[in-house]
Every structure is written in structure tokens, then in C-alpha cells.
Amino acid sequence: NAGVTQTPKFQVLKTGQSMTLQCAQDMNHEYMSWYRQDPGMGLRLIHYSVGAGITDQGEVPNGYNVSRSTTEDFPLRLLSAAPSQTSVYFCASMGGDNYEQYFGPGTRLTVT
Amino acid sequence: GQNIDQPTEMTATEGAIVQINCTYQTSGFNGLFWYQQHAGEAPTFLSYNVLDGLEEKGRFSSFLSRSKGYSYLLLKELQMKDSASYLCAVRDAGGYQKVTFGTGTKLQVIP
């Protein structure tokens, strides 16, 4: 039981490049989400999903796309990277009786 | 939407008790989380309160007052390893029930 996994752990992109951050969970949770964390701003919700085929925008969705074709996977796509997207990205899944939200280890992204 | 407020920083002494407050104003409320996050690591779940009152888990307790839009996390017998950021988060009411975080309280435990 791996919990929530994220790849890659570190990434450097040039402005304008695109990439996909991968996230997978093996707990059969319906709810998954993507956050970015910047100094002094806490965790901000980018996109979230309440089940396969259902996604919605969070606080800061611009420049990011998501899809949820399976319960397990919830990839985050950066369409055209910008320096403002330099951040630490966390994927999370939530479920169980206590609605405990488990976080992946994070992806540290730098856009130059 | 959600508006969540926490103090930015706190300092406390090893062995002491510290209370970290969180206030929120929401358009819908389904529950409140507390998370611990050490520097450079992912947040880890501490507690989830749905009903008013105090819930205790070992050295950590969490309190919720829904009518006042107020919660606190109480840490007893502080240890140096408790130095971390503590994040308050609110879960929406309604169908999608998204979770929104406050900016976190950085706690420093000193000898």
C-alpha cells in the first residue's frame, strides 16, 4: 500500500514548455486534489475531483488542466510554463470515515 | 468561499502547552482539519472536527465551535520535534466539498 505517489520529485522547465505532473493513489479514494504551496501563501487549491470523470476548479486554476479517467490517477498538466508557476506541488486524496486527506511527497518545480 | 485566519508564527518552550487558533468565515461548512507540516515535507493529518467540542489524541487536542467559526489546536508537553507549521483547513458543505487551507502557523519550540 503506497498511499499517494507523485512524480517527478524535482523538475526544471523553461518558460513556455509544457509538462504533466503525475499523481496516483491506491486507497480507492474518490476525492483527489492538487495544491501549490508558496512561501507565505499556504496551500492553494488548483483543481480537485470527486470521482472518475468529475473535476472542478479551485482557487488558482489558470494555466493548469486536469483529468480523471480512473479512480487511481489524477495528472496535472501545465500548458505553457511561466516563472509564476515555480512552486511546490502537492497531490492529495481523501476518504474513509474520518475524511483523512493524505498527501503525496510533493514536486518541486522551477520555471526559468 | 472561505476565509481562514491563523497567526503566522508562535514560539513556545519545550515541555509547555501551546494553543494555536484558527477562525473561519465560510459560505458552507462540513468540517475542519488540522495538519502538521515539517519544513520540506508534505502535510500530515492530525485531526478532523465535525461537531462542536474537544477531541483528544495523545498530546494533541482539537476544539471546534461552529457557531463562532473558531477552532484551536492544543499541543501539550511540547517536544523539539513539534517545531513545524500547523495548517488549519475547512471542508465545504455541498456536493463537491472541497478543502481550503489557511496560511499556516509556524511553531518554534525552544529549549
Side-chain angles (χ1 to χ4, degrees), chain B residues 36-98:
Chain B
Q36 180 190 61
Q37 186 178 26
H38 286 101
E41 298 182 8
T44 55
F45 173 87
L46 291 177
S47 66
Y48 179 57
N49 293 65
V50 177
L51 302 176
D52 286 357
L54 183 70
E55 293 195 6
E56 299 185 63
K57 277 188 186 179
R59 294 190 300 114
F60 291 13
S61 303
S62 56
F63 172 84
L64 176 67
S65 169
R66 294 176 68 130
S67 62
K68 294 183 179 178
Y70 170 67
S71 173
Y72 66 75
L73 181 70
L74 194 70
L75 290 73
K76 303 175 186 175
E77 300 169 13
L78 279 172
Q79 302 175 9
M80 299 301 290
K81 68 178 182 179
D82 297 330
S83 292
S85 289
Y86 291 86
L87 314 179
C88 171
V90 170
R91 181 163 157 251
D92 268 356
Y96 281 13
Q97 301 185 12
K98 66 182 180 183

Side-chain angles (χ1 to χ4, degrees), chain A residues 31 35 37 54 99 101 108, chain B residues 33 35 37 40 96 98-99:
Chain A
Y31 185 100
Y35 294 89
Q37 188 171 38
I54 306 170
Y99 296 95
Q101 187 163 221
R108 282 148 184 81
Chain B
F33 296 90
Y35 286 83
Q37 186 178 26
Y96 281 13
K98 66 182 180 183
V99 178

Side-chain angles (χ1 to χ4, degrees), chain A residues 27-111:
Chain A
M27 296 172 282
N28 203 32
H29 287 166
E30 292 297 322
Y31 185 100
M32 295 185 74
S33 53
W34 276 100
Y35 294 89
R36 59 177 289 174
Q37 188 171 38
D38 303 292
M41 302 196 74
L43 283 160
R44 291 185 292 169
L45 184 64
I46 304 171
H47 285 285
Y48 63 105
S49 169
V50 297
I54 306 170
T55 64
D56 202 0
Q57 297 180 351
E59 304 169 63
V60 288
N62 292 340
Y64 307 95
N65 273 354
V66 292
S67 59
R68 185 93 180 270
S69 56
T70 67
T71 299
E72 294 78 19
D73 299 300
F74 191 44
L76 178 73
R77 296 183 192 83
L78 279 71
L79 309 172
S80 177
S84 61
Q85 293 179 305
T86 293
S87 188
V88 180
Y89 291 85
F90 288 104
C91 176
S93 75
M94 181 167 68
D97 293 340
N98 288 330
Y99 296 95
E100 185 168 339
Q101 187 163 221
Y102 296 87
F103 283 80
T107 295
R108 282 148 184 81
L109 176 69
T110 301
V111 183

